[in-house]
Structure formats: C-alpha cells, structure tokens
Amino acid sequence: MSRRPATGHSSQGIPEATIARLPVYLRVLYACAEQGIATVSSEELAAAAGVNSAKLRKDLSHLGSYGTRGVGYDVDYLVYQVSRELGLTQDWPVVIVGAGNLGRALANYGGFASRGFRIAAVLDADPAVVGTEIAGHLVEGADQIEPVVARHRVSIGVIATPAGAAQAVCDRLVAAGVTEHPQLRSCGTYRACGRRRA
C-alpha cells in the first residue's frame, strides 16, 4: 500500500506490465550481486526471471538501459536503475500493524532500510504488547492508525494481523490515505488489500 497515485504508466511512460516485472528482475539482480557477479547477459537474467530475453531487453530499454553485446548488463548499475524506477532510492516510511511473530520479524529485518523502506511505527491491538519496544520502536495501539499515518507521513502499510482483522485494518489504512501503487504491487514487501483511493 502506498500514498503515491496509481496510474497505468510511470512518470517516464513505462507500461504497467513492465513495471510489474521490474521487482522480479530486481530480486534476480540482488541474487547476482550477492554472488559477486558483476555482469549478466540478457539470456541469463531472462531465464532466472522467467521471461524471454527479447521481452527483458525491451523492458530494460524503457529504463534507458542497454546491455553491451557480448558482455551483458552491469549488475550494480542495473540494480540502481530498477531501484530508482521502483522508488526504492527514496525514503518510504512504513507502518507495521500487528506485532506478533510476523510483525516482529519484519520490524527487525535489516534489509528494508537498504532498499529504501524505513519502519516508522509498529502498532498492535493487544494491550499487553502496546508500550513494549520492538526494533527500537515503542509499540502503539492499533487505534492510532490514522494519527500515526499522518504524523509519520506513512507511504506503505504492512498488515501482519490475524486474517480476521486484516480487512478492517486495510480499510482504515486506505481511509487514512495509504493506497496501493502498481510499482510496489509485486515487490513482495507487503500484502496489499486490493483497494485504491479514488
């Protein structure tokens, strides 16, 4: 869920179908970088992402990225380009609603910060949990969703509640101004509730 307006194209005119594939490419590129791979061919990247190489080359050309024939793509530079298009080079304040095992694990996960996601607040409905500290955050009550979203200018809401409470939490996040955005829909960092703000 994101505050940014949902559109069919990005500001650079990139088709939504391409935007939806970028997070997949980014995950593959992160894996390459972690293995110390400096360059990757379009065929290798396409195979790992589950698309054909012509489609991958066309998708990446929308970013202005063209591989070098016989060499491939520079992994670090491509990570930067894809991250920039997905908005991951920005600071995205995140609220986690639900401080159970999943919420705690997400709050303690260090990988978010390196990808532009900053945990701004953790909320929970359990009075026994409210007031405790998780990953340096004082857990606030779930009844504070609206003021927390406004105070921290929350861009993304992560719903880590039991299934029975998830829709109500989603409705409140949407009402507070946090809405789904196509660039973040497939990145795997949250479960969107499928609603958009008009």
Side-chain angles (χ1 to χ4, degrees):
M1 305 177 105
S2 162
R3 278 183 176 275
R4 294 176 67 181
T7 61
H9 290 76
S10 78
S11 59
Q12 297 179 25
I14 298 176
E16 188 172 335
T18 296
I19 294 294
R21 288 188 289 271
L22 291 181
V24 178
Y25 301 154
L26 189 57
R27 282 194 291 269
V28 173
L29 290 164
Y30 278 140
C32 290
E34 288 169 5
Q35 294 170 29
I37 298 170
T39 58
V40 63
S41 72
S42 59
E43 290 78 14
E44 293 167 327
L45 184 53
V51 299
N52 67 54
S53 59
K55 181 178 287 186
L56 177 128
R57 285 191 296 271
K58 183 174 181 181
D59 286 345
L60 296 181
S61 72
H62 287 293
L63 305 180
S65 184
Y66 302 93
T68 305
R69 184 178 288 280
V71 177
Y73 294 92
D74 180 280
V75 171
D76 289 339
Y77 183 61
L78 200 50
V79 164
Y80 168 75
Q81 286 184 300
V82 174
S83 297
R84 183 185 60 196
E85 182 56 38
L86 291 173
L88 303 181
T89 56
Q90 301 174 27
D91 178 36
W92 295 94
V94 176
V95 63
I96 298 174
V97 184
N101 291 337
L102 176 59
R104 287 174 185 274
L106 291 170
N108 282 293
Y109 175 58
F112 287 139
S114 65
R115 293 179 174 140
F117 300 102
R118 175 178 53 82
I119 305 302
V122 179
L123 310 178
D124 199 272
D126 184 350
V129 176
V130 174
T132 63
E133 188 175 302
I134 297 175
H137 297 280
L138 195 63
V139 178
E140 298 182 59
D143 60 337
Q144 296 297 303
I145 287 176
E146 295 80 5
V148 164
V149 167
R151 183 170 70 244
H152 294 286
R153 300 185 53 80
V154 169
S155 298
I156 299 170
V158 176
I159 301 171
T161 64
Q167 187 60 55
V169 168
C170 179
D171 292 343
R172 290 182 62 197
L173 287 168
V174 169
V178 181
T179 58
E180 183 180 6
H181 187 276
Q183 289 183 335
L184 299 172
R185 183 182 304 138
S186 303
C187 71
T189 59
Y190 71 98
R191 179 177 177 269
C193 62
R195 291 224 180 153
R196 291 186 185 171
R197 193 174 170 194

